[in-house]
Every structure is written in structure tokens, then in C-alpha cells.
């Protein structure tokens, strides 16, 4: 019996998940068709036009001519509804990768922000990465001895609420210019969920308390203390849409990641890699994402960032039934998931945050150093990075 379980080194590297990650027909997810059409805001950050060339069927010759989009096979429930990209929570970074002693520069949706630890309120803060004085990046500053964010250019200091608390050049007996509204830093709503810092990309006053009405997406496995979780993150030199589609595409795994990830062997091996058809279906889809089904389990997309796959009842993949009556209950209790959090940074750039929680063999993460996991996980990302980077080809404007 070979259950869906993790290896002793890295769930991402060896992928001992017996995932049937091969298929013969995989069209662009229908939710992408209408969501990415709303990315005009993102594309406005770049003047370079891009065209994506995708091989839709095997052929002896490669064609880069534009093809008509496939007909919609699954109608959505909200065809007229627009997806508001700036009315969502976006992850910035796992807390474990943030140093509380210094500010951190990040970019999401083309917005430059600074993430810093407010030790006076014991909270992570997210500001626009520009001092209101001369627009110098606050991420180049420091956290002063009073726990304030200090600009490196002229020394202005800001509290966690964005109020300017100190202007060194202002006479102490003069007007309190540091209290003027124009001296305040721009503050984004932020919160910590699943040990990840999230922010709301809108500084309008009406969103100040948005956390009370709308929270970041909830992933039960990341909150369950019986599951182990080990985060990784990496900036990627290709776009968010390419990253997301690649993670949803199981057919490339035995080829682009040959020798790095194990998949179920076909009954008749037709080539070295052992590609095979995989049954895939979409059970529910709307503007907020979809729920899908594969042979080994289920998958879910929570727009705009989270794609995760999780196991159903873990059965013997050779005969489709539990290996024994005594082991069935134990197998039912063994759960694992692949969680990918895809962040749109700017056109041609994205960020991936990942975790592979499981409730068995949890001792591995306690004894194996984190950097060993990262070696294998980044090797997987590297193995098809070039392919995806050149998939988006610059074209000249006539």
C-alpha cells in the first residue's frame, strides 16, 4: 500500500504524494478568463506589451500564432460581476521571515509598502513606502529606540498609527508641525492570520476597520495544532497569472520536474517520464474561486491568492480500498495538504508563499533544519523557472 504521505526530507522536493499529476487535456481555468480580464489596473504599471504563447496540442511544429480562446465549458454564476482586485486581503510575508528589528520593503499589485514591527502596540504595521516629507522610502530607515519608524532622509519619526511624532528640524518652541495631517504616513489596514502578515491595499478611511467585516481567507489546516507547517517563500521572475496556472497544471510534473517529484506510474509506460491521463473536474466555480476534484483528492482556489490541494480518504491506490480493516481508521486520520499562496507583485513578477501541513510524521519538521527543506523546494521551482520566464515573450508595438 502506498498512501498519500510525505517523505522524510521534503514534501515539495520528493513529492511522495502519489499524485496522478499527468493529463492529456487541460484548458485554461474558466475563472481565469474573466478575472484576468480585470487586470487592467495591474497592466497599467508597465508599458511593455506581452503575449503568452501556449502549446494547446502536440504537434511536430511549434506555432506562435494567436489562437481563438476555447469555448466556455462551464458557465459561472456571476458572469456580470466584476472582481475588485483592490478590495481583497493580500499576504506579504510569513512572520517567521520578518525581522522585528528592521523595516522591510515589499511590493504587491504595484504598490510599494513597508512592513515593520510596532513594539509599542505589539503589532505588525504596513505603511506606504514613502515618507510624506520628500517621499523617501521608509523601508530604508530604522526602528528608533522608542519603537518608532524613522525616515533615513531627514529623521522624521512615525508611530504605528502613522502619526508623525518628531521632526528634528522643527523648533521645539514653534508650531507643532509634526501634528499636521500632511505630516502623517499613509497606513494600510493589516493583520496577522496563519502566522502571515496580510494587508488591505486601500488607505481610504472607510477601510480602516475592514478586518471587522472581512477577514483574510481561512485555511483550517494552518490553524490546527495537530498539523505541522513549515513556510517557505520566494520572489518569482514571472507573472502571477503564469505562476498560478503552472501550480494548477499537473501534466507538466513528470516532465519539467523529472527525477525530482514522484508520480503514480501508468499501467503502460509510453515514454521515459510516464505521462498519463488524469481525471479532473470542477465541482463549483464563481468569481471567488472554484472547488475541483482529482483522482487522489480535491483542490480549491480562493481568489485571488490561495490555491491548495488536500487528500480525501487515504486509500490504497493500487486497489482503491483501505489496506486493512485495522489500518482504515488510522488512514482516515492522516491528512496532508499542499498550500500555495500566489502574490501579484507587478507585471512579470510574483511571490510564492507555500506550506505543506500534515498531521502525521510531524517529528520530521522538528529535527530537520528548515534550510534543508528549502534546498529541495527551490530545486523544484528552479527546474521549470526558465520555461515559465520565457513563456511571456515581449512583442514590439507596431
Amino acid at each position: 500500500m502506498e498512501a498519500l504521505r510525505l517523505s522524510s526530507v521534503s514534501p515539495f522536493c520528493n513529492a511522495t504524494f502519489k499524485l496522478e499529476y499527468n493529463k492529456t487535456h487541460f484548458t485554461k481555468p474558466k475563472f481565469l478568463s474573466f478575472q484576468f480580464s480585470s487586470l487592467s489596473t495591474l497592466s497599467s504599471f508597465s508599458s511593455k506589451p506581452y503575449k503568452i504563447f501556449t502549446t494547446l496540442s502536440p504537434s511536430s511544429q511549434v506555432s506562435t500564432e494567436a489562437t481563438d480562446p476555447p469555448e466556455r465549458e462551464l458557465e459561472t454564476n456571476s458572469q456580470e460581476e466584476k472582481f475588485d482586485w483592490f478590495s481583497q486581503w493580500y499576504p506579504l510575508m510569513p512572520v517567521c521571515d520578518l525581522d522585528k528589528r528592521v523595516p522591510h520593503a515589499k511590493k504587491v499589485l504595484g504598490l510599494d509598502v513597508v512592513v515593520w514591527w510596532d513594539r509599542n502596540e505589539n503589532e505588525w504595521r504596513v505603511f506606504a513606502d514613502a515618507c510624506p516629507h520628500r517621499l523617501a522610502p521608509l523601508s530604508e530607515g530604522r526602528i528608533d529606540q522608542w519603537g518608532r519608524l524613522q525616515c533615513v532622509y531627514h529623521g522624521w519619526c512615525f508611530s504605528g498609527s502613522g502619526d508623525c511624532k518628531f521632526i528634528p528640524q522643527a523648533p521645539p518652541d514653534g508650531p507643532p508641525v509634526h501634528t499636521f495631517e500632511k505630516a502623517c504616513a499613509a497606513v494600510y489596514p493589516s493583520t496577522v492570520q496563519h502566522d502571515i502578515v496580510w494587508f488591505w491595499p486601500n488607505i481610504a478611511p472607510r477601510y480602516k476597520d475592514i478586518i471587522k467585516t472581512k477577514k483574510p481567507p481561512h485555511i483550517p489546516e494552518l490553524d490546527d495544532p495537530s498539523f505541522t507547517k513549515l513556510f517557505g517563500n520566494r520572489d518569482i521572475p514571472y507573472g502571477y497569472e503564469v505562476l498560478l496556472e503552472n501550480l494548477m497544471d499537473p501534466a507538466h510534473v513528470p516532465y519539467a520536474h523529472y527525477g525530482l517529484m514522484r508520480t503514480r506510474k501508468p499501467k503502460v509506460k509510453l515514454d521515459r517520464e510516464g505521462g498519463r491521463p488524469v481525471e479532473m473536474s470542477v465541482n463549483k466555480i464563481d468569481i471567488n474561486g472554484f472547488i475541483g476534484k482529482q483522482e487522489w483528492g480535491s483542490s480549491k482556489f480562493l481568489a485571488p491568492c490561495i490555491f491548495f490541494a488536500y487528500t480525501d480518504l487515504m486509500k490504497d491506490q493500487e486497489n482503491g480500498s483501505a489496506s486493512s480493516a485495522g489500518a482504515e481508521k488510522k488512514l482516515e486520520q492522516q491528512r496532508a495538504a499542499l498550500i500555495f499562496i500566489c502574490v501579484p507583485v507587478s507585471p512579470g513578477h510574483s511571490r510564492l508563499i507555500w506550506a505543506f501541513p500534515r498531521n502525521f510524521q510531524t517529528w520530521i519538521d522538528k529535527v530537520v533544519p528548515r534550510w534543508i527543506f528549502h534546498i529541495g523546494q527551490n530545486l523544484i521551482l528552479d527546474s521549470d523557472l526558465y520555461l515559465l520566464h520565457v513563456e511571456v515573450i515581449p512583442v514590439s508595438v507596431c
Side-chain angles (χ1 to χ4, degrees), residues 352-373:
L352 177 63
I353 301 171
W354 65 83
F356 307 118
R358 65 188 186 280
N359 64 356
F360 57 95
Q361 296 181 353
T362 58
W363 60 270
I364 295 175
D365 290 5
K366 299 177 181 178
V367 298
V368 178
R370 187 180 177 215
W371 61 267
I372 291 184
F373 288 97

Side-chain angles (χ1 to χ4, degrees), residues 156 164 167 169-171 174-184:
W156 288 29
C164 183
I167 298 179
Q169 298 79 13
V177 292
H178 66 282
T179 63
F180 294 177
E181 183 178 355
K182 289 185 177 182
C184 296

Side-chain angles (χ1 to χ4, degrees), residues 25-322:
H25 180 71
F26 190 84
T27 58
K28 186 174 184 179
K30 297 302 176 286
F31 74 92
L32 298 180
S33 299
F34 63 84
Q35 286 192 15
F36 289 146
S37 63
S38 303
L39 273 173
S40 58
T41 308
L42 287 181
S43 61
S44 65
F45 293 120
S46 174
S47 58
K48 292 183 179 181
Y50 293 89
K51 176 180 288 187
I52 296 180
F53 301 127
T54 305
T55 303
L56 298 179
S57 60
S59 174
S60 59
Q61 297 182 352
V62 178
S63 172
T64 58
E65 296 181 0
T67 59
D68 294 331
E71 294 182 2
R72 185 178 297 275
E73 299 175 2
L74 181 65
E75 295 296 331
T76 64
N77 296 328
S78 53
Q79 296 181 8
E80 301 301 326
E81 189 177 358
K82 297 287 187 178
F83 187 84
D84 189 347
W85 289 83
F86 287 88
S87 292
Q88 312 293 331
W89 286 99
Y90 288 89
L92 288 168
M93 189 65 65
V95 170
C96 61
D97 290 320
L98 292 172
D99 188 343
K100 292 182 177 181
R101 298 170 298 178
V102 296
H104 303 268
K106 296 297 172 186
K107 184 190 290 287
V108 176
L109 292 174
L111 301 173
D112 291 304
V113 301
V114 55
V115 186
W116 65 284
W117 175 251
D118 178 8
R119 71 167 183 253
N120 295 312
E121 298 295 335
N122 292 320
E123 293 184 12
W124 286 101
R125 305 291 189 180
V126 180
F127 287 6
D129 196 11
C131 179
H133 178 210
R134 297 291 296 277
L135 302 182
L138 291 171
S139 58
E140 293 295 320
R142 69 185 183 96
I143 311 298
D144 71 5
Q145 60 268 43
W146 292 282
R148 304 173 301 191
L149 179 61
Q150 184 180 59
C151 179
V152 71
Y153 197 12
H154 290 90
W156 288 29
C157 296
F158 304 91
S159 67
S161 61
D163 295 334
C164 183
K165 293 299 185 180
F166 177 59
I167 298 179
Q169 298 79 13
D173 56 349
V177 292
H178 66 282
T179 63
F180 294 177
E181 183 178 355
K182 289 185 177 182
C184 296
V187 182
Y188 289 100
S190 61
T191 189
V192 174
Q193 180 163 295
H194 302 318
D195 293 326
I196 298 174
V197 177
W198 300 71
F199 91 114
W200 185 273
N202 197 319
I203 61 174
R206 66 179 181 274
Y207 294 115
K208 181 179 179 180
D209 297 318
I210 187 64
I211 189 65
K212 296 180 181 179
T213 56
K214 185 174 182 178
K215 300 180 183 296
H218 179 252
I219 304 174
E221 290 83 356
L222 292 181
D223 270 346
D224 192 330
S226 68
F227 281 74
T228 181
K229 61 179 179 182
L230 196 65
F231 284 112
N233 75 86
R234 178 172 174 175
D235 282 4
I236 307 292
Y238 49 80
Y240 153 89
E241 69 279 13
V242 177
L243 171 64
L244 196 55
E245 285 188 321
N246 183 60
L247 293 172
M248 294 179 182
D249 170 19
H252 80 285
V253 173
Y255 297 93
H257 306 304
Y258 178 72
L260 299 175
M261 301 179 68
R262 288 194 287 169
T263 60
R264 182 180 179 183
K265 296 180 180 180
K267 294 180 179 179
V268 179
K269 194 172 182 179
L270 301 177
D271 58 12
R272 181 192 66 170
E273 293 80 6
R276 60 182 298 276
V278 172
E279 294 182 6
M280 303 177 66
S281 61
V282 176
N283 299 335
K284 179 183 178 182
I285 186 170
D286 57 30
I287 197 171
N288 296 311
F290 70 82
I291 299 176
K293 178 70 177 175
Q294 297 186 35
E295 294 168 306
W296 56 269
S298 302
S299 59
K300 183 180 294 186
F301 174 68
L302 303 176
C305 296
I306 299 176
F307 175 69
F308 65 99
Y310 49 95
T311 59
D312 293 332
L313 173 62
M314 303 176 73
K315 296 181 179 180
D316 190 313
Q317 295 191 16
E318 296 298 325
N319 55 31
S321 60

